Amino acid sequence: MYFAKRLIEALLSPLGWIVWLFLVGLLLAALRKPTSARRFLMAGAGLFLFGYFSPAAELAIWGLEQDYSPLQHPEKLGNVDTVVVLAGYGERHASIPITSNLSDETIARIVEGVRIYRALPGGKILFSGGTPTGLVPPAAELMAEFAQAQGVERDDILTEIRSRDTHENLVEVRKILGVRRFVLVTSAYHLRRTLAVAQKLDMNPIPAPAYIQTLQNFPATLSGFQLWSKVARSFLSPSVFRLFFLQQAFHEYAGYWWYRWSGRI
């Protein structure tokens, strides 16, 4: 099921469409249908160049990130003693250190979680995430190893290793924490869907965005003129990373609407 969902998502994603257009164009060229082949190849090239040059990708991520401000002063939260960090991706390789076994996004979540944990006297940090593929150790265990390597006491670390996706993350966390307040750390663009699930489950999280990608360049304090001025200038700074942003944004918007359609939020 996990691989089927990933395959469908890949085929329908922006990069998936680019690949499909090029493949169909090449097939038509092989079948000696040059006019149709040219149309598909030009459409694929046009979509690629749009993603490469335009700031559409950053704006799509920005639309998800702007809703929740960073948690700058966790020491002022009062009666909160648990930080929940949702898992990203990681694999265990015995020949390299734990710091290289986790994705950049996962490390950003852990580091933000540890920063907040250190500001909560007597606090605990809970890592949530299992093994969707069954091929690697539970992500939460790898994250716990990383946290320990950064000086977090093992007695202060909790792990939840049953969940396989965002909805299951929150379901399993609720079994542990109930409805009491806690800090919820995940990637900034992921918070909208995550908090919607938490609300559906009558949970009481305090959002703490990590892995912030666009607010540095598009802060909430920008005026409309400043925003669109930055957008116009960004056409002069093409980047292959925009294609990655497009994939991220597609995954999150699609996931949000899938959760709404399936009644999870």
Side-chain angles (χ1 to χ4, degrees), residues 8-83:
I8 293 171
E9 178 184 331
L11 294 176
L12 297 178
S13 69
L15 285 182
W17 276 103
I18 292 172
V19 171
W20 276 115
L21 289 168
F22 276 119
L23 286 177
V24 173
L26 292 173
L27 177 61
L28 290 171
L31 295 175
R32 298 184 180 180
K33 296 183 178 181
T35 301
S36 297
R38 191 179 306 115
R39 290 173 180 168
F40 276 92
L41 292 172
M42 289 180 66
L47 186 58
F48 173 84
L49 292 173
F50 173 79
Y52 185 69
F53 279 94
S54 85
E58 291 103 307
L59 291 176
I61 294 291
W62 176 72
L64 294 166
E65 290 190 337
Q66 65 174 329
D67 293 340
Y68 306 101
S69 300
L71 187 58
Q72 296 280 44
H73 300 287
E75 68 278 2
K76 298 179 180 181
L77 290 177
N79 189 27
V80 177
D81 62 5
T82 305
V83 181

Side-chain angles (χ1 to χ4, degrees), residues 41 55 85 87 91 127 146 182 233 255 261:
L41 292 172
V85 184
E91 293 184 9
F127 297 108
F146 184 98
F182 64 94
R233 291 198 302 272
W261 180 83

Side-chain angles (χ1 to χ4, degrees), residues 118-245:
R118 294 193 188 283
L120 304 179
K124 302 287 186 181
I125 186 166
L126 167 60
F127 297 108
S128 172
T131 55
T133 65
L135 299 178
V136 297
E141 289 185 2
L142 296 175
M143 296 168 77
E145 289 178 21
F146 184 98
Q148 283 186 268
Q150 305 311 305
V152 178
E153 295 292 334
R154 185 65 186 91
D155 289 345
D156 289 343
I157 297 174
L158 306 172
T159 57
E160 177 283 300
I161 62 173
R162 295 170 57 87
S163 59
R164 297 168 296 176
D165 57 28
T166 299
H167 180 259
E168 292 184 6
N169 284 150
L170 274 298
V171 168
E172 296 299 327
V173 168
R174 195 183 192 284
K175 293 177 183 177
I176 299 170
L177 300 181
V179 296
R180 74 176 191 260
R181 293 176 76 215
F182 64 94
V183 177
L184 177 61
V185 178
T186 189
S187 301
Y189 72 90
H190 187 225
L191 270 172
R192 180 182 297 180
R193 178 160 56 117
T194 305
L195 291 176
V197 173
Q199 182 179 12
K200 181 79 171 182
L201 296 172
D202 295 321
M203 301 173 75
N204 194 11
I206 300 166
Y211 196 61
I212 297 169
Q213 302 174 91
T214 64
L215 295 183
Q216 299 93 328
N217 295 320
F218 297 99
T221 55
L222 285 180
S223 67
F225 175 78
Q226 289 172 321
L227 172 63
W228 291 110
S229 177
K230 274 183 167 287
V231 169
R233 291 198 302 272
S234 66
F235 278 94
L236 302 176
S237 303
S239 172
V240 69
F241 288 106
R242 285 176 169 164
L243 300 173
F244 172 69
F245 284 166

